[in-house]
Amino acid sequence: MSSRNTRRIAAALLAASAALGTTALPATADSSQQARRSHVEISAVQYDSPGRDDRSNRSLNKEWVEITNDGRRAVNLDGWTLTDEDGHTFTFRHYRLRGHESVRVHTGEGRDRDGHVFQDRRHYVWDNRSDTATLRNDNDRRVDRESWGRGHGGGHHRR
């Protein structure tokens, strides 16, 4: 009789565990959907400024990296960084990227506005031959990375 009770208790525990496991699945799926809603990535890079590289502000600002939020919810980019292989780092300050929108990070000087921010540099950042743009969040976690160079084509990279 004792072993029969033990088997019944074990069967009840297994059934309860299975039911809890089934209940937990939608919560996990919901969490992954939430992560997708706030997905931010490097969507395009114009690393070779069109025309002559004369280091004019106009030419510098034709060199850019585009960051896109594919999710529905806005993402606060304050403290996020964009870095090249040589360690040139741009830090976002007070920028909120709305859902399904993009922002271009231009190399030269300019006034930040919706869809455009400026690194305020007087020299090119992105190497035309090969380089890597790395986007990190405010916790220094790598969010995305785009590389170009040998075999990647020239001038402009789009996913």
Side-chain angles (χ1 to χ4, degrees), residues 81-153:
T81 59
L82 182 64
T83 310
D84 76 339
E85 287 180 350
D86 292 330
H88 298 106
T89 301
F90 169 75
T91 302
F92 284 89
R93 297 283 179 229
H94 311 293
Y95 196 86
R96 188 169 179 82
L97 184 58
R98 291 185 295 260
H100 302 293
E101 291 199 5
S102 298
V103 59
R104 284 191 178 173
V105 181
H106 299 273
T107 298
E109 297 176 335
R111 186 176 182 148
D112 294 350
R113 61 186 187 277
D114 280 349
H116 300 272
V117 295
F118 298 84
Q119 296 189 49
D120 295 330
R121 295 184 182 275
R122 295 180 183 206
H123 301 283
Y124 296 98
V125 171
W126 309 107
D127 191 309
N128 294 351
R129 290 181 298 280
S130 77
D131 208 340
T132 299
T134 303
L135 179 65
R136 294 184 178 276
N137 67 16
D138 56 340
N139 291 318
D140 203 33
R141 283 199 171 138
R142 189 176 81 205
V143 174
D144 198 11
R145 175 183 284 174
E146 278 300 321
S147 296
W148 56 91
R150 297 179 189 114
H152 288 287

